[in-house]
Amino acid sequence: MARRGENIYKRKDGRYEGRYVVGTSCTNRTKFGYVYARTYTEVRDLLTQRKALQLRLHPRKKNIRLQAAPTYGEWAARWLEQNVRPNVRLSTYTSYRNMMAHLLKAFAGHLISDIDPDEIRAAMRGFEANGLAQTTCCGIFRILKRSLQAAFEEGLILKNPCYRLRTAPKINQEQRVLSPNEQKRITAALRDTKDLA
């Protein structure tokens, strides 16, 4: 149960969860941000830091209301052209655009302020289910994280929903080594081959 006047709760997993208002959506629904820690004091301190950040981003507003945020599709196009293209090689930019195509299928019409961790996890599971390689999925996630971090730094969103998310670690397949007998057979076959061209 929360203490009076504070949105801090103890979860079933033993951690504490703090909730704070980050603004309202375009449909006037209250939007919340969340912080987690092992102790009540840590969560209270995190909440204080988040509220201080909101005051820096919106110093004249008592009731914080997010500005009309762009859709992810609009933001992605702007970010690629203004932030990425001038600072990377053409091949890197092309790679970003190719991976961004997957993100646009998942988030193009979403307001960037409405994208949440659960939607990101679902999208990443969808990419894997569609047969994308794990390294490709990790690259897509990195691009999403960077693009949303840039939106956060420009004050378009109050937090990066990718901040605490992690992609699955790459599972290294065990390398098969030729046995001594197999090595001898290959060597013998190469010696018997007169024309290697």
Side-chain angles (χ1 to χ4, degrees):
M1 179 180 289
R3 295 187 186 179
R4 190 167 185 174
E6 293 184 334
N7 277 329
I8 300 177
Y9 304 88
K10 189 165 187 179
R11 295 161 48 97
K12 290 181 181 178
D13 63 8
R15 293 184 302 161
Y16 284 85
E17 173 186 305
R19 187 173 77 162
Y20 60 101
V21 176
V22 297
T24 55
S25 68
C26 56
T27 57
N28 287 324
R29 289 177 55 203
T30 301
K31 293 179 65 64
F32 294 97
Y34 300 88
V35 293
Y36 305 93
R38 293 187 180 276
T39 67
Y40 180 91
T41 304
E42 288 175 315
V43 166
R44 188 182 60 198
D45 292 344
L46 286 171
L47 285 176
T48 301
Q49 292 171 17
R50 295 299 170 89
K51 290 173 184 176
L53 173 62
Q54 287 177 309
L55 289 175
R56 287 201 304 273
L57 291 173
H58 305 275
R60 297 175 186 165
K61 297 182 180 181
K62 289 185 178 178
N63 296 320
I64 297 171
R65 182 182 179 87
L66 294 174
Q67 298 177 355
T71 64
Y72 186 75
E74 294 165 342
W75 172 248
R78 177 176 150 193
W79 177 71
L80 279 172
E81 293 305 313
Q82 295 181 3
N83 297 52
V84 177
R85 190 171 196 167
N87 300 306
V88 299
R89 292 178 298 181
L90 179 60
S91 59
T92 303
Y93 170 74
T94 303
S95 174
Y96 271 51
R97 283 196 63 179
N98 291 339
M99 286 192 274
M100 183 64 79
H102 297 287
L103 291 170
L104 293 178
K105 288 178 185 175
F107 299 115
H110 291 60
L111 295 176
I112 57 172
S113 56
D114 288 344
I115 297 173
D116 62 37
D118 289 336
E119 288 178 308
I120 294 170
R121 288 188 193 98
M124 297 308 296
R125 286 193 298 268
F127 297 149
E128 292 174 5
N130 287 334
L132 292 181
Q134 192 172 39
T135 52
T136 302
C137 291
C138 289
I140 290 169
F141 177 77
R142 282 194 300 271
I143 288 173
L144 177 64
K145 187 173 185 177
R146 288 175 187 166
S147 64
L148 291 176
Q149 182 62 26
F152 167 74
E153 289 169 2
E154 289 200 17
L156 297 174
I157 53 177
L158 290 173
K159 66 175 184 176
N160 183 345
C162 296
Y163 177 66
R164 292 189 179 273
L165 297 182
R166 298 288 180 268
T167 53
K170 183 178 180 181
I171 300 171
N172 292 319
Q173 294 183 344
E174 185 176 342
Q175 297 293 320
R176 183 181 177 280
V177 179
L178 294 174
S179 69
N181 188 35
E182 289 171 323
Q183 292 175 26
K184 288 177 185 176
R185 286 168 51 199
I186 290 174
T187 303
L190 290 172
R191 284 185 186 142
D192 292 341
T193 303
K194 294 179 180 177
D195 186 7
L196 296 177

PDB file of all heavy atoms in Angstrom, residues 78-93 96:
ATOM      1  N   ARG A  78      13.020  12.647 -39.774  1.00  0.00           N
ATOM      2  CA  ARG A  78      13.780  13.837 -39.367  1.00  0.00           C
ATOM      3  C   ARG A  78      15.119  13.450 -38.742  1.00  0.00           C
ATOM      4  O   ARG A  78      16.164  14.018 -39.062  1.00  0.00           O
ATOM      5  CB  ARG A  78      12.933  14.642 -38.385  1.00  0.00           C
ATOM      6  CG  ARG A  78      13.607  15.870 -37.826  1.00  0.00           C
ATOM      7  CD  ARG A  78      12.623  16.629 -36.955  1.00  0.00           C
ATOM      8  NE  ARG A  78      13.295  17.330 -35.898  1.00  0.00           N
ATOM      9  CZ  ARG A  78      12.684  17.863 -34.850  1.00  0.00           C
ATOM     10  NH1 ARG A  78      11.381  17.762 -34.730  1.00  0.00           N
ATOM     11  NH2 ARG A  78      13.358  18.494 -33.927  1.00  0.00           N
ATOM     12  N   TRP A  79      15.083  12.448 -37.858  1.00  0.00           N
ATOM     13  CA  TRP A  79      16.302  12.011 -37.170  1.00  0.00           C
ATOM     14  C   TRP A  79      17.319  11.471 -38.162  1.00  0.00           C
ATOM     15  O   TRP A  79      18.507  11.795 -38.081  1.00  0.00           O
ATOM     16  CB  TRP A  79      15.936  10.957 -36.126  1.00  0.00           C
ATOM     17  CG  TRP A  79      17.101  10.386 -35.402  1.00  0.00           C
ATOM     18  CD1 TRP A  79      17.895  11.009 -34.469  1.00  0.00           C
ATOM     19  CD2 TRP A  79      17.634   9.065 -35.548  1.00  0.00           C
ATOM     20  NE1 TRP A  79      18.873  10.146 -34.031  1.00  0.00           N
ATOM     21  CE2 TRP A  79      18.733   8.965 -34.672  1.00  0.00           C
ATOM     22  CE3 TRP A  79      17.271   7.967 -36.328  1.00  0.00           C
ATOM     23  CZ2 TRP A  79      19.485   7.792 -34.560  1.00  0.00           C
ATOM     24  CZ3 TRP A  79      18.021   6.807 -36.217  1.00  0.00           C
ATOM     25  CH2 TRP A  79      19.111   6.723 -35.341  1.00  0.00           C
ATOM     26  N   LEU A  80      16.866  10.646 -39.106  1.00  0.00           N
ATOM     27  CA  LEU A  80      17.786  10.080 -40.094  1.00  0.00           C
ATOM     28  C   LEU A  80      18.459  11.168 -40.923  1.00  0.00           C
ATOM     29  O   LEU A  80      19.659  11.124 -41.168  1.00  0.00           O
ATOM     30  CB  LEU A  80      17.049   9.113 -41.017  1.00  0.00           C
ATOM     31  CG  LEU A  80      16.814   7.701 -40.493  1.00  0.00           C
ATOM     32  CD1 LEU A  80      15.909   6.929 -41.443  1.00  0.00           C
ATOM     33  CD2 LEU A  80      18.126   6.957 -40.296  1.00  0.00           C
ATOM     34  N   GLU A  81      17.683  12.160 -41.355  1.00  0.00           N
ATOM     35  CA  GLU A  81      18.230  13.195 -42.241  1.00  0.00           C
ATOM     36  C   GLU A  81      19.075  14.222 -41.495  1.00  0.00           C
ATOM     37  O   GLU A  81      20.096  14.670 -42.000  1.00  0.00           O
ATOM     38  CB  GLU A  81      17.098  13.899 -42.995  1.00  0.00           C
ATOM     39  CG  GLU A  81      16.393  13.000 -43.992  1.00  0.00           C
ATOM     40  CD  GLU A  81      17.335  12.366 -44.995  1.00  0.00           C
ATOM     41  OE1 GLU A  81      18.185  13.089 -45.571  1.00  0.00           O
ATOM     42  OE2 GLU A  81      17.255  11.141 -45.209  1.00  0.00           O
ATOM     43  N   GLN A  82      18.652  14.597 -40.276  1.00  0.00           N
ATOM     44  CA  GLN A  82      19.342  15.671 -39.556  1.00  0.00           C
ATOM     45  C   GLN A  82      20.433  15.174 -38.616  1.00  0.00           C
ATOM     46  O   GLN A  82      21.462  15.839 -38.454  1.00  0.00           O
ATOM     47  CB  GLN A  82      18.326  16.503 -38.765  1.00  0.00           C
ATOM     48  CG  GLN A  82      17.352  17.253 -39.660  1.00  0.00           C
ATOM     49  CD  GLN A  82      16.366  18.090 -38.857  1.00  0.00           C
ATOM     50  OE1 GLN A  82      16.437  18.168 -37.632  1.00  0.00           O
ATOM     51  NE2 GLN A  82      15.438  18.712 -39.544  1.00  0.00           N
ATOM     52  N   ASN A  83      20.218  14.027 -37.991  1.00  0.00           N
ATOM     53  CA  ASN A  83      21.165  13.555 -36.986  1.00  0.00           C
ATOM     54  C   ASN A  83      22.128  12.494 -37.515  1.00  0.00           C
ATOM     55  O   ASN A  83      23.278  12.442 -37.107  1.00  0.00           O
ATOM     56  CB  ASN A  83      20.425  12.976 -35.765  1.00  0.00           C
ATOM     57  CG  ASN A  83      19.598  14.007 -35.051  1.00  0.00           C
ATOM     58  OD1 ASN A  83      18.797  14.691 -35.661  1.00  0.00           O
ATOM     59  ND2 ASN A  83      19.756  14.119 -33.743  1.00  0.00           N
ATOM     60  N   VAL A  84      21.622  11.626 -38.387  1.00  0.00           N
ATOM     61  CA  VAL A  84      22.433  10.495 -38.831  1.00  0.00           C
ATOM     62  C   VAL A  84      23.195  10.800 -40.120  1.00  0.00           C
ATOM     63  O   VAL A  84      24.422  10.685 -40.167  1.00  0.00           O
ATOM     64  CB  VAL A  84      21.561   9.231 -39.018  1.00  0.00           C
ATOM     65  CG1 VAL A  84      22.393   8.074 -39.555  1.00  0.00           C
ATOM     66  CG2 VAL A  84      20.897   8.845 -37.705  1.00  0.00           C
ATOM     67  N   ARG A  85      22.483  11.175 -41.154  1.00  0.00           N
ATOM     68  CA  ARG A  85      23.096  11.307 -42.480  1.00  0.00           C
ATOM     69  C   ARG A  85      24.339  12.197 -42.508  1.00  0.00           C
ATOM     70  O   ARG A  85      25.351  11.831 -43.129  1.00  0.00           O
ATOM     71  CB  ARG A  85      22.060  11.816 -43.480  1.00  0.00           C
ATOM     72  CG  ARG A  85      22.533  11.743 -44.916  1.00  0.00           C
ATOM     73  CD  ARG A  85      21.403  12.044 -45.867  1.00  0.00           C
ATOM     74  NE  ARG A  85      21.725  11.612 -47.211  1.00  0.00           N
ATOM     75  CZ  ARG A  85      20.857  11.524 -48.190  1.00  0.00           C
ATOM     76  NH1 ARG A  85      19.599  11.818 -47.975  1.00  0.00           N
ATOM     77  NH2 ARG A  85      21.229  11.131 -49.381  1.00  0.00           N
ATOM     78  N   PRO A  86      24.333  13.365 -41.849  1.00  0.00           N
ATOM     79  CA  PRO A  86      25.528  14.222 -41.925  1.00  0.00           C
ATOM     80  C   PRO A  86      26.748  13.673 -41.177  1.00  0.00           C
ATOM     81  O   PRO A  86      27.855  14.163 -41.366  1.00  0.00           O
ATOM     82  CB  PRO A  86      25.064  15.540 -41.273  1.00  0.00           C
ATOM     83  CG  PRO A  86      23.581  15.464 -41.201  1.00  0.00           C
ATOM     84  CD  PRO A  86      23.252  14.021 -41.105  1.00  0.00           C
ATOM     85  N   ASN A  87      26.529  12.668 -40.328  1.00  0.00           N
ATOM     86  CA  ASN A  87      27.600  12.244 -39.426  1.00  0.00           C
ATOM     87  C   ASN A  87      28.143  10.841 -39.671  1.00  0.00           C
ATOM     88  O   ASN A  87      29.011  10.383 -38.918  1.00  0.00           O
ATOM     89  CB  ASN A  87      27.102  12.330 -37.972  1.00  0.00           C
ATOM     90  CG  ASN A  87      26.701  13.736 -37.608  1.00  0.00           C
ATOM     91  OD1 ASN A  87      27.480  14.665 -37.773  1.00  0.00           O
ATOM     92  ND2 ASN A  87      25.484  13.908 -37.121  1.00  0.00           N
ATOM     93  N   VAL A  88      27.619  10.145 -40.678  1.00  0.00           N
ATOM     94  CA  VAL A  88      28.079   8.776 -40.929  1.00  0.00           C
ATOM     95  C   VAL A  88      28.376   8.579 -42.414  1.00  0.00           C
ATOM     96  O   VAL A  88      27.996   9.401 -43.250  1.00  0.00           O
ATOM     97  CB  VAL A  88      27.031   7.729 -40.467  1.00  0.00           C
ATOM     98  CG1 VAL A  88      26.764   7.835 -38.978  1.00  0.00           C
ATOM     99  CG2 VAL A  88      25.734   7.868 -41.264  1.00  0.00           C
ATOM    100  N   ARG A  89      29.049   7.479 -42.729  1.00  0.00           N
ATOM    101  CA  ARG A  89      29.298   7.141 -44.124  1.00  0.00           C
ATOM    102  C   ARG A  89      27.994   6.732 -44.798  1.00  0.00           C
ATOM    103  O   ARG A  89      27.032   6.326 -44.124  1.00  0.00           O
ATOM    104  CB  ARG A  89      30.310   5.997 -44.215  1.00  0.00           C
ATOM    105  CG  ARG A  89      31.712   6.387 -43.770  1.00  0.00           C
ATOM    106  CD  ARG A  89      32.643   5.214 -43.831  1.00  0.00           C
ATOM    107  NE  ARG A  89      32.214   4.153 -42.923  1.00  0.00           N
ATOM    108  CZ  ARG A  89      32.850   3.019 -42.747  1.00  0.00           C
ATOM    109  NH1 ARG A  89      33.946   2.772 -43.434  1.00  0.00           N
ATOM    110  NH2 ARG A  89      32.415   2.113 -41.905  1.00  0.00           N
ATOM    111  N   LEU A  90      27.975   6.801 -46.115  1.00  0.00           N
ATOM    112  CA  LEU A  90      26.775   6.461 -46.872  1.00  0.00           C
ATOM    113  C   LEU A  90      26.344   5.024 -46.608  1.00  0.00           C
ATOM    114  O   LEU A  90      25.148   4.739 -46.468  1.00  0.00           O
ATOM    115  CB  LEU A  90      27.018   6.672 -48.374  1.00  0.00           C
ATOM    116  CG  LEU A  90      25.838   6.340 -49.294  1.00  0.00           C
ATOM    117  CD1 LEU A  90      24.625   7.196 -48.953  1.00  0.00           C
ATOM    118  CD2 LEU A  90      26.237   6.524 -50.754  1.00  0.00           C
ATOM    119  N   SER A  91      27.306   4.111 -46.499  1.00  0.00           N
ATOM    120  CA  SER A  91      26.957   2.705 -46.254  1.00  0.00           C
ATOM    121  C   SER A  91      26.273   2.533 -44.893  1.00  0.00           C
ATOM    122  O   SER A  91      25.330   1.751 -44.755  1.00  0.00           O
ATOM    123  CB  SER A  91      28.209   1.827 -46.331  1.00  0.00           C
ATOM    124  OG  SER A  91      29.163   2.237 -45.373  1.00  0.00           O
ATOM    125  N   THR A  92      26.747   3.273 -43.885  1.00  0.00           N
ATOM    126  CA  THR A  92      26.131   3.204 -42.552  1.00  0.00           C
ATOM    127  C   THR A  92      24.728   3.787 -42.590  1.00  0.00           C
ATOM    128  O   THR A  92      23.788   3.218 -42.024  1.00  0.00           O
ATOM    129  CB  THR A  92      26.988   3.966 -41.527  1.00  0.00           C
ATOM    130  OG1 THR A  92      28.307   3.420 -41.529  1.00  0.00           O
ATOM    131  CG2 THR A  92      26.399   3.864 -40.128  1.00  0.00           C
ATOM    132  N   TYR A  93      24.587   4.918 -43.264  1.00  0.00           N
ATOM    133  CA  TYR A  93      23.263   5.543 -43.389  1.00  0.00           C
ATOM    134  C   TYR A  93      22.285   4.588 -44.082  1.00  0.00           C
ATOM    135  O   TYR A  93      21.137   4.441 -43.652  1.00  0.00           O
ATOM    136  CB  TYR A  93      23.390   6.849 -44.172  1.00  0.00           C
ATOM    137  CG  TYR A  93      22.071   7.459 -44.575  1.00  0.00           C
ATOM    138  CD1 TYR A  93      21.263   8.097 -43.641  1.00  0.00           C
ATOM    139  CD2 TYR A  93      21.629   7.391 -45.899  1.00  0.00           C
ATOM    140  CE1 TYR A  93      20.049   8.658 -44.013  1.00  0.00           C
ATOM    141  CE2 TYR A  93      20.428   7.949 -46.278  1.00  0.00           C
ATOM    142  CZ  TYR A  93      19.638   8.575 -45.329  1.00  0.00           C
ATOM    143  OH  TYR A  93      18.436   9.118 -45.702  1.00  0.00           O
ATOM    144  N   TYR A  96      21.207   1.939 -41.680  1.00  0.00           N
ATOM    145  CA  TYR A  96      20.215   2.484 -40.748  1.00  0.00           C
ATOM    146  C   TYR A  96      18.840   2.531 -41.401  1.00  0.00           C
ATOM    147  O   TYR A  96      17.836   2.164 -40.795  1.00  0.00           O
ATOM    148  CB  TYR A  96      20.627   3.893 -40.314  1.00  0.00           C
ATOM    149  CG  TYR A  96      21.513   3.948 -39.096  1.00  0.00           C
ATOM    150  CD1 TYR A  96      22.668   3.173 -39.010  1.00  0.00           C
ATOM    151  CD2 TYR A  96      21.222   4.787 -38.042  1.00  0.00           C
ATOM    152  CE1 TYR A  96      23.487   3.233 -37.900  1.00  0.00           C
ATOM    153  CE2 TYR A  96      22.039   4.854 -36.925  1.00  0.00           C
ATOM    154  CZ  TYR A  96      23.167   4.074 -36.856  1.00  0.00           C
ATOM    155  OH  TYR A  96      23.968   4.135 -35.747  1.00  0.00           O
TER     156      TYR A  96
END
